[in-house]
Amino acid sequence: MNIAQMQEQRLEALRLTGSAAPKLPSNPFFGVGPITDATTDEVDSRLRRIAFDAWIEKTYRKFDDRGNDIGGFTTAEISRSMHRGYPADKILVDMMRAIHRYFGFPKEKRMAVGLGGGHSGYTVCVQHLLNANDAAQRVYVDTPRPESDPSKAAGFFRQSWATQLIEMQRFAEKGCESRIHFAASEGVIPAADELAALGISVFVGVGHETTGANAYTAGEIRELLRWLDGDPESRHAVFDATSMLGAMPWEPELVAAVMAKCCLFMPFQKAIGGVSGYFVASFTPHALALIEKNQQDPSWAIPRQLKIAPPVDPRQPFSAKRSVDAGPFYDAAEDRMLGGVINTYSALAFAETTFGLLQSEARVGSVVDLNRRSAANRAVIDEWVKSHPLFSLTVADAERRGAAVTLLKVEDAGITDPAVHARIIARSKQLLGYEGITHPNGEYEPGLDAARYVNAFPGTPGDYRAWVGGIREPEDVVALLENLQYAYLRAKIVVLEEELAKQGVTFEAPATASGPVRKDDPGRAYTVLIADLVGLRFGADGKPDHSEVKAHIEAKGGVFHLGPLGDRAGLDKGRIHFFYQPGLSTEAEILPQTDSGQYDALIAAATFIPKASVFPLGGVRIGAGTGNMGSASWGGGNGEGGTAPLMNTPGINSRATAQMVMKAILRVLPDLPVEELHRRVSAGDFDTGRDLKDYPTAKLEGRKIAVLGYGNIGREVAGLAKAFGMRVAVYARDRHRRWIEAEGFEHAASLAAAAAGADVLSVHIGLGRLDPVTGAYSNAGTVDAAVLGAMNDGAVLVNYDRGEVVDVAALDAALSSGKVAHAAIDADLFKDAATGRLGGPMLPYLPLEERHRGRLELLPHAAADTDHPSRVAGAKQAVDQVFDVIRFRSVANLKGDLPEGYVSAGGRTPPGIGRVTREAVAGAAGQADLLDELRQASETIAAVVGALSAVADPGHRARIVERYTDLLVENADRQRALLDRLGLYGAAGA
């Protein structure tokens, strides 16, 4: 290509990859090994290992000499050289039984197992089934003759199968190479009549899809079976089943016939799953008879580790009869091993195979389902390639395409130089893996980690090879293909840029964005009204101190103004101006300043904002509830239907409120009359030895508290109550149950269940939704006579939520009957400055205080709103949220609907408050040192607890307790502290 052509090709590849990279497959491993390991990532793999350990302990039990179950074996025990005796022998039989059963081998077929991979299985089969001393024996192998023209592109691996057959005949005393017949091309089965005419007695099938992605057609298999049925005692077929098991794209009856009438070998860590190199090989009864016959007149020595017909009398290795009855076979009819395994094997590897197979069966279904899914995935690939001309399938005949392996070739008309093509393919595999690729200008594209081990075998006419059998979901297969195309095009860009650089054509690296893109207008001054106090502590001038929030605004580049907006034209452009007016209260005061959008945004705490107030860019309420945020700009207090976002700052005052709740409880529980005792002691009117008996109390520990609501405050109250040793029942919707129980609380599905037998009830459910027709809130009167009546006599009610949520008449009755001994209420109380008239949700409670003097504690919604640090923290967060909304149209802590043109930034709460979000986990992941500490602590806990759970023997368990108690407790304490520090303790959230 010339420079112009390369430029054009590069631009086209850039255009085709202009959008984001495709969706990743669930698992990036498409190589031979992990085709049955469906784990998706490192966490899933670790969980699988833990599940495997638990399965071992449950499945393989210890029994004393009286037959009593005394606990399970652990992986640690089995790994310590346990490869003979019990449970190793049982593990071996279990694995062979599972393989034999799942893949549908008939009971009359025996299955051998031995050391080594697929080539060992192949060697075992051909060295036992063939005999150079039998001049009448003819062999057909479905690969071309080695070093012939059709085989030259295959490399040593493909040619090695046929080469071994030739060498066996060539080096045998009575061997003859002419007894071997070869296929004209890879993986072709001749017709039955042709095999019969050639006098073939053993068919060797090793050309099925492992490297070339080609499969036998249903017609070929029928012909082979017809040939076998013509003389079943003298004719035998043996297949490499590495790719065939679970990926036979034929009707089930044909599959069953192959399993019954053909011998199969495979490396089961590939075809079935496992961690070590072992093979299994199945043999028909007629094949076993042939092996028995051959061993009476062998034509070559078979290495000991590959013998499946050892001497019947082990004391006479030369002269004794050699028989398959003494070999390493699983006999399904008798469900036992004959002769065990010749070599030392890994019991854990065998157990893992059984475990993996059982898990696959549970996930995928029977082998019939697995074969069907494999064929379906083949169809998915066919359809995808039809609509993506950049790729072609190397196997042209659709029926001959493999159902386990696909082999793809790139058909890029713009790249005609084979060397350049090879470079692009190599670079694409770097991008598909973890290495990534670097452009000549230094721009780096990190690895996709989408597909590893997708190399085609040397010499095969393809660029990408992948195992895509039925263990994979169709969407995984599509994701693989999409990533192959994307990676090729991105790699093409890099290689073309390298070629252009040789011609002096270079490209500047694109500027990298250093954060979110600003969307505010630099030529405009933005205005924000602060309508409530942002500092509650008094300063030197005797007034509430707002200096911390002022400094925070100025540090962010904003401007702080005392008083209302004046001349807008005089404000600095490109800056956000905050106007502090905490004295605003009534609608008459607020509307003249806000009725025409004078302020772009609002920050408020308790002040009620009228519906007619206009704030085009949104508002933030300091605190959780937004009932006072009445502006139609965001659709009122629910934040629904407006054009501007409504936000809050949840969790800011949660701890302050929860602490005040506990203060209210501790005033009356334990019920020690502290003031009376103080008075008597001060007056010298008390004798500890004589008078103390008159003041019995009961501690908080063991008493039940019912917490209604599992929001930020409810959860904090529950945690504090638990710290006092109280039994905590939390009423919340069922979707919260898992998190409530995970924290050690009791979940109550109903208000009555929570309140039943409670000594304390604390309310934190909020007002709920406002009914626009009735003007009533959905949670008004929720704590009614039924709820109060379910509590223990003499209970305590704390309502530091909203005054309306309690049925005041029901509370009056409960106080009168003694059902409620004490109530603490925190609700708004308003007084008209002109008339002195009182209003607000506290009003109905005032008469109760007169009737139940000393048993009611009434606060003017001061539990949280008097905490200076909380108010300052909330105000600072509100300022941050306003900056994000104006500058980036990014909305944190959205309440209600997200208006068009804005993006949600999720939730934002103080560390340890509220739900643990993905952002919190991502933040923790960035603190490497703390995360390493947490990992070490957690893994230590898992090791000790796992051992205590697994070990049943009292003596052994006692030794573990003696050795590791201090280590367990230290790391449990450390883990909890680290979880709190990283903000990972609590319920999950988005």
Side-chain angles (χ1 to χ4, degrees):
M1 288 186 289
N2 58 37
I3 290 177
Q5 290 170 327
M6 286 191 285
Q7 291 267 37
E8 183 182 356
Q9 290 279 314
R10 174 181 175 273
L11 289 174
E12 177 63 9
L14 283 169
R15 184 187 68 80
L16 292 172
T17 57
S19 57
K23 176 186 175 182
L24 293 176
S26 64
N27 181 329
F29 296 99
F30 288 89
V32 175
I35 60 171
T36 59
D37 182 356
T39 56
T40 56
D41 52 35
E42 287 70 20
V43 173
D44 200 14
S45 293
R46 283 171 166 80
L47 291 174
R48 185 179 187 274
R49 171 56 59 183
I50 292 168
F52 171 66
D53 289 350
W55 177 81
I56 285 283
E57 293 159 12
K58 179 181 179 181
T59 305
Y60 299 104
R61 310 295 295 175
K62 298 174 184 173
F63 300 94
D64 65 18
D65 63 351
R66 298 165 295 177
N68 298 315
D69 187 320
I70 55 174
F73 283 94
T74 65
T75 52
E77 288 176 293
I78 294 173
S79 69
R80 292 198 288 263
S81 301
M82 294 188 66
H83 53 266
R84 287 291 185 269
Y86 181 82
D89 293 343
K90 176 173 171 49
I91 289 172
L92 169 60
V93 172
D94 287 350
M95 182 196 73
M96 299 300 284
R97 181 193 305 115
I99 296 170
H100 203 282
R101 174 195 61 79
Y102 181 73
F103 289 103
F105 292 102
K107 283 191 177 295
E108 63 269 16
K109 290 187 75 172
R110 290 181 182 177
M111 182 178 287
V113 58
L115 183 67
H119 285 279
S120 293
Y122 170 70
T123 301
V124 165
C125 289
V126 296
Q127 287 200 334
H128 284 84
L129 289 171
L130 304 188
N131 191 341
N133 295 336
D134 183 356
Q137 189 181 68
R138 296 290 183 272
V139 180
Y140 185 95
V141 58
D142 67 341
T143 60
R145 175 182 291 275
E147 299 187 9
S148 64
D149 287 340
S151 70
K152 285 180 180 178
F156 171 72
F157 178 84
R158 284 288 350 142
Q159 296 187 73
S160 66
W161 307 95
T163 299
Q164 183 169 346
L165 294 178
I166 292 174
E167 289 178 338
M168 287 167 59
Q169 294 288 346
R170 180 176 293 179
F171 303 135
E173 182 179 359
K174 299 179 182 179
C176 179
E177 297 177 35
S178 65
R179 299 172 189 167
I180 307 172
H181 297 266
F182 300 93
S185 59
E186 196 74 61
V188 175
I189 301 177
D193 293 341
E194 184 180 346
L195 289 171
L198 291 172
I200 301 300
S201 51
V202 179
F203 172 87
V204 180
V206 291
H208 177 92
E209 90 170 283
T210 301
T211 56
N214 52 286
Y216 304 122
T217 68
E220 287 178 316
I221 291 297
R222 288 193 186 92
E223 284 296 298
L224 182 74
L225 293 171
R226 189 164 72 85
W227 170 73
L228 287 172
D229 290 340
D231 187 358
E233 292 187 10
S234 303
R235 294 174 179 174
H236 310 277
V238 57
F239 283 109
D240 174 8
T242 303
S243 301
M244 289 176 65
L245 282 185
M248 297 184 184
W250 318 305
E251 58 267 30
E253 295 76 15
L254 203 59
V255 173
V258 170
M259 301 303 291
K261 298 178 181 181
C262 301
C263 301
L264 304 172
F265 67 88
M266 74 293 298
F268 65 67
Q269 87 277 15
K270 294 181 183 178
I272 302 162
V275 295
S276 298
Y278 296 93
F279 72 87
V280 290
S282 69
F283 297 90
T284 65
H286 295 312
L288 292 172
L290 175 61
I291 292 170
E292 195 95 341
K293 175 185 174 184
N294 286 341
Q295 288 307 297
Q296 310 319 311
D297 181 24
S299 55
W300 37 65
I302 299 176
R304 178 180 180 276
Q305 70 268 24
L306 300 180
K307 283 183 183 293
I308 58 174
V312 174
D313 185 350
R315 297 170 299 177
Q316 297 179 310
F318 284 118
S319 57
K321 177 185 176 181
R322 299 171 187 177
S323 174
V324 292
D325 291 334
F329 282 96
Y330 171 69
D331 188 326
E334 298 185 16
D335 191 27
R336 70 185 183 95
M337 289 298 299
L338 306 176
V341 179
I342 293 173
N343 291 287
T344 299
Y345 59 89
S346 165
L348 281 182
F350 282 2
E352 188 176 55
T353 295
T354 307
F355 176 73
L357 188 56
L358 293 174
Q359 283 208 322
S360 270
E361 183 176 18
R363 189 175 71 88
V364 172
S366 70
V367 71
V368 175
D369 297 319
L370 187 60
N371 281 317
R372 177 183 51 77
R373 285 166 54 109
S374 296
N377 281 350
R378 179 175 68 171
V380 167
I381 295 169
D382 287 353
E383 288 303 310
W384 187 90
V385 171
K386 284 179 185 177
S387 60
H388 293 77
L390 183 62
F391 286 90
S392 67
L393 292 157
T394 59
V395 181
D397 184 348
E399 194 180 0
R400 296 187 63 81
R401 290 179 195 142
V405 175
T406 191
L407 187 60
L408 296 163
K409 182 173 177 58
V410 174
E411 304 284 359
D412 189 347
I415 303 296
T416 57
D417 186 333
V420 173
H421 176 90
R423 281 168 56 199
I424 296 174
I425 297 297
R427 289 296 187 87
S428 74
K429 290 170 184 175
Q430 289 178 218
L431 186 59
L432 288 165
Y434 53 84
E435 300 100 321
I437 53 175
T438 303
H439 293 251
N441 60 16
E443 179 190 358
Y444 173 69
E445 296 187 39
L448 300 169
D449 203 15
R452 302 194 203 175
Y453 193 61
V454 288
N455 297 321
F457 272 73
T460 53
D463 296 310
Y464 302 105
R465 170 181 174 272
W467 286 59
V468 288
I471 201 69
R472 289 283 189 174
E473 299 293 339
E475 53 265 30
D476 253 7
V477 175
V478 172
L480 166 70
L481 298 171
E482 298 284 354
N483 276 276
L484 292 180
Q485 177 171 269
Y486 177 84
Y488 174 82
L489 293 170
R490 297 305 301 177
K492 179 179 178 179
I493 294 166
V494 171
V495 172
L496 288 174
E497 288 174 352
E498 291 171 346
E499 293 299 307
L500 286 165
K502 296 175 184 177
Q503 305 296 322
V505 180
T506 59
F507 304 90
E508 287 188 19
T512 56
S514 58
V517 178
R518 293 277 291 265
K519 296 184 178 180
D520 53 327
D521 181 358
R524 174 183 172 186
Y526 292 89
T527 57
V528 181
L529 171 63
I530 303 178
D532 277 291
L533 291 168
V534 293
L536 303 176
R537 185 172 54 207
F538 292 109
D541 59 359
K543 297 178 180 179
D545 183 8
H546 58 263
S547 60
E548 292 179 71
V549 176
K550 178 177 182 289
H552 183 71
I553 289 171
E554 292 172 346
K556 292 178 70 70
V559 183
F560 187 89
H561 303 267
L562 280 173
L565 170 65
D567 180 15
R568 191 183 190 101
L571 299 177
D572 291 345
K573 302 294 189 294
R575 302 182 73 180
I576 303 176
H577 298 260
F578 292 80
F579 295 87
Y580 187 45
Q581 298 187 78
L584 291 178
S585 178
T586 66
E587 183 172 328
E589 295 171 336
I590 296 171
L591 275 182
Q593 293 193 44
T594 62
D595 59 354
S596 58
Q598 296 93 322
Y599 297 97
D600 295 300
L602 166 75
I603 293 175
T607 300
F608 185 86
I609 306 301
K611 180 179 180 179
S613 292
V614 178
F615 300 97
L617 297 183
V620 187
R621 197 261 165 164
I622 302 174
T626 54
N628 64 307
M629 303 291 279
S631 169
S633 293
W634 43 75
N638 291 328
E640 297 174 353
T643 58
L646 174 62
M647 297 165 280
N648 58 1
T649 63
I652 288 296
N653 56 7
S654 298
R655 285 186 174 138
T657 305
Q659 290 167 17
M660 294 300 291
V661 168
M662 292 309 298
K663 180 176 181 179
I665 295 170
L666 290 169
R667 282 179 60 85
V668 291
L669 293 177
D671 55 348
L672 187 68
V674 175
E675 293 180 359
E676 179 183 339
L677 290 173
H678 170 75
R679 178 181 53 76
R680 289 189 59 181
V681 170
S682 298
D685 181 26
F686 203 91
D687 178 81
T688 299
R690 182 176 60 251
D691 298 333
L692 203 58
K693 70 180 189 311
D694 298 328
Y695 297 90
T697 60
K699 60 185 180 295
L700 283 180
E701 184 179 359
R703 297 198 189 195
K704 178 180 177 180
I705 179 172
V707 179
L708 307 186
Y710 190 58
N712 295 331
I713 299 174
R715 180 172 172 265
E716 287 294 314
V717 170
L720 290 176
K722 183 182 177 183
F724 276 94
M726 300 185 77
R727 185 163 60 91
V728 181
V730 180
Y731 162 71
R733 284 186 286 271
D734 195 60
R735 63 187 175 89
H736 297 296
R737 178 172 187 163
R738 60 186 292 206
W739 308 114
I740 290 169
E741 293 179 346
E743 292 199 72
F745 309 135
E746 173 189 332
H747 173 258
S750 67
L751 291 164
D759 301 291
V760 179
L761 188 143
S762 188
V763 189
H764 307 285
I765 56 175
L767 285 173
R769 294 181 59 83
L770 176 67
D771 188 323
V773 177
T774 64
Y777 289 96
S778 59
N779 287 338
T782 294
V783 181
D784 56 14
V787 174
L788 296 173
M791 295 194 294
N792 284 337
D793 292 342
V796 174
L797 168 69
V798 181
N799 177 19
Y800 279 13
D801 186 9
R802 300 289 178 180
E804 296 94 325
V805 299
V806 172
D807 183 331
V808 178
L811 176 59
D812 187 12
L815 286 165
S816 298
S817 68
K819 173 59 71 172
V820 173
H822 185 84
I825 311 296
D826 185 36
D828 288 317
L829 181 66
F830 302 109
K831 185 174 183 178
D832 189 292
T835 66
R837 184 178 179 182
L838 297 177
M842 177 58 81
L843 194 61
Y845 291 93
L846 297 182
L848 270 65
E849 202 281 330
E850 296 178 6
R851 288 197 291 275
H852 307 287
R853 185 74 64 183
R855 297 173 59 200
L856 237 68
E857 180 180 80
L858 305 180
L859 299 179
H861 217 164
D865 285 345
T866 55
D867 181 67
H868 174 76
S870 295
R871 178 59 67 87
V872 169
K876 287 181 178 179
Q877 182 170 313
V879 167
D880 292 343
Q881 291 174 220
V882 165
F883 266 88
D884 287 345
V885 160
I886 292 176
R887 286 182 171 176
F888 309 112
R889 298 297 188 267
S890 175
V891 183
N893 296 320
L894 174 69
K895 182 76 173 180
D897 298 331
L898 181 69
E900 186 177 352
Y902 293 86
V903 295
S904 174
R908 185 184 303 170
T909 57
I913 296 289
R915 301 190 176 279
V916 179
T917 63
R918 295 185 182 93
E919 290 78 13
V921 176
Q927 301 184 60
D929 292 343
L930 291 180
L931 205 63
D932 284 345
E933 285 187 52
L934 179 59
R935 175 179 177 173
Q936 291 172 20
S938 301
E939 289 176 346
T940 301
I941 293 168
V944 179
V945 172
L948 289 172
S949 173
V951 172
D953 175 63
H956 191 176
R957 182 177 285 175
R959 290 193 294 274
I960 291 173
V961 170
E962 176 65 26
R963 291 171 183 164
Y964 297 112
T965 293
D966 289 352
L967 186 68
L968 174 63
V969 175
E970 176 192 355
N971 281 278
D973 292 343
R974 190 183 305 278
Q975 182 195 56
R976 174 59 197 271
L978 286 165
L979 287 170
D980 280 336
R981 189 172 173 185
L982 289 166
L984 299 180
Y985 189 82

